[in-house]
């Protein structure tokens, strides 16, 4: 069983020192340190590193940076139409709900881990309801990009083009789930009925 240890700081405003009391196994020891020493200890233990984002992509509403330097970007896609294809058939100017994209970008500018969701018919806010994209290339919120090679982005601002690029990728049934449609209907493939 480990020994119980407690550390107490006693600060007296009129004095320029701090009394540190350490209690371990019922024994209390005291040490006084200068106020400046305590200040330096706290000041140097806090990291003041900032993140330089550069110009953010248009319609970006969230950025986060992981410890390894990968960055997650969330972009609202305000366009309500796109040219899409499904199993080789083109659907020009296809109507879309309000979409939001989340994707991860490595330090080298490689895009991976694409996500796609639907929000209500307004720009997203902290309390916006989020819905699953109703097409077959999205499972949960994960967007299947298949074997398509995604562009490398050296400029963060150029990521504004990525949602349009992702929407133009060929659609298929790789992530199809009958639970994702109102009638729980299967695709036209007889083997799934």
């Amino acid at each position: 069983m480990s020994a119980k240890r407690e550390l107490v700081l006693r600060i007296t405003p009129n004095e320029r020192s701090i009394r540190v009391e350490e209690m371990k196994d019922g024994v209390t020891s005291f040490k006084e340190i200068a106020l400046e020493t305590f200040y330096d200890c706290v000041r140097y233990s806090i990291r003041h590193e900032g993140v330089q984002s550069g110009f953010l992509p248009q319609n970006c509403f969230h950025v986060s940076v992981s410890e390894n330097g990968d960055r997650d970007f969330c972009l609202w896609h305000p366009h309500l139409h796109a040219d899409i294809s499904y199993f080789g058939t083109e659907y020009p100017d296809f109507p879309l709900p309000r979409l939001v994209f989340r994707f991860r970008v490595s330090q080298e500018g490689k895009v991976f881990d694409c996500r796609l969701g639907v929000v209500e018919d307004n720009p997203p806010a902290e309390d916006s309801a989020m819905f699953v994209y109703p097409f077959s290339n999205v499972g949960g919120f994960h967007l299947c990009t298949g074997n398509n090679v995604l562009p490398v982005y050296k400029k963060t601002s150029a990521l504004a083009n990525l949602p349009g690029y992702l929407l133009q990728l060929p659609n298929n049934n790789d992530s199809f789930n009958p639970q994702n449609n109102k009638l729980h209907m299967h695709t036209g493939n007889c083997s799934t009925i």
Side-chain angles (χ1 to χ4, degrees):
M1 186 172 166
S2 64
K4 183 178 177 186
R5 186 174 178 214
E6 185 176 327
L7 194 67
V8 176
L9 297 177
R10 298 203 185 273
I11 302 172
T12 307
N14 295 339
E15 298 176 18
R16 303 250 343 134
S17 66
I18 295 176
R19 183 175 178 171
V20 180
E21 298 177 8
E22 182 180 13
M23 291 164 252
K24 185 175 179 182
D25 294 331
V27 178
T28 302
S29 57
F30 304 93
K31 180 178 184 179
E32 290 204 14
I33 59 172
L35 187 60
E36 292 78 14
T37 303
F38 177 72
Y39 172 76
D40 287 341
C41 179
V42 171
R43 182 177 65 160
Y44 293 122
S45 67
I46 297 173
R47 298 172 76 189
H48 294 284
E49 297 174 16
V51 175
Q52 296 295 326
S53 69
F55 281 99
L56 293 175
Q58 187 175 7
N59 298 313
C60 180
F61 63 91
H62 177 80
V63 177
S64 62
V65 180
S66 66
E67 287 184 23
N68 69 357
D70 291 346
R71 296 159 293 155
D72 287 338
F73 292 90
C74 294
L75 273 68
W76 173 55
H77 187 66
H79 307 291
L80 295 175
H81 294 86
D83 296 339
I84 67 167
S85 68
Y86 180 68
F87 281 106
T89 302
E90 301 279 334
Y91 295 94
D93 207 29
F94 191 84
L96 297 171
R98 293 282 181 195
L99 303 176
V100 291
F101 290 82
R102 199 275 294 158
F103 40 85
R104 186 160 288 166
V105 181
S106 71
Q107 289 184 24
E108 298 80 30
K110 294 180 182 177
V111 176
F112 60 102
D113 194 21
C114 299
R115 308 288 174 141
L116 176 59
V118 176
V119 292
E120 54 197 356
D121 199 19
N122 292 307
E126 289 181 8
D127 60 348
S128 292
M130 195 66 170
F131 306 96
V132 175
Y133 184 68
F135 293 158
S136 59
N137 61 336
V138 178
F141 290 100
H142 179 73
L143 173 63
C144 177
T145 56
N147 292 326
N148 295 289
V149 177
L150 299 179
V152 174
Y153 290 92
K154 295 295 181 185
K155 291 184 179 180
T156 303
S157 60
L159 290 167
N161 301 321
L162 185 57
Y165 177 84
L166 293 171
L167 288 171
Q168 290 179 356
L169 294 177
N171 286 280
N172 58 33
N173 288 342
D174 284 354
S175 297
F176 179 79
N177 183 340
Q179 298 301 315
N180 290 344
N181 64 64
K182 231 180 205 181
L183 301 176
H184 303 292
M185 296 182 72
H186 292 268
T187 63
N189 184 342
C190 293
S191 65
T192 61
I193 296 177

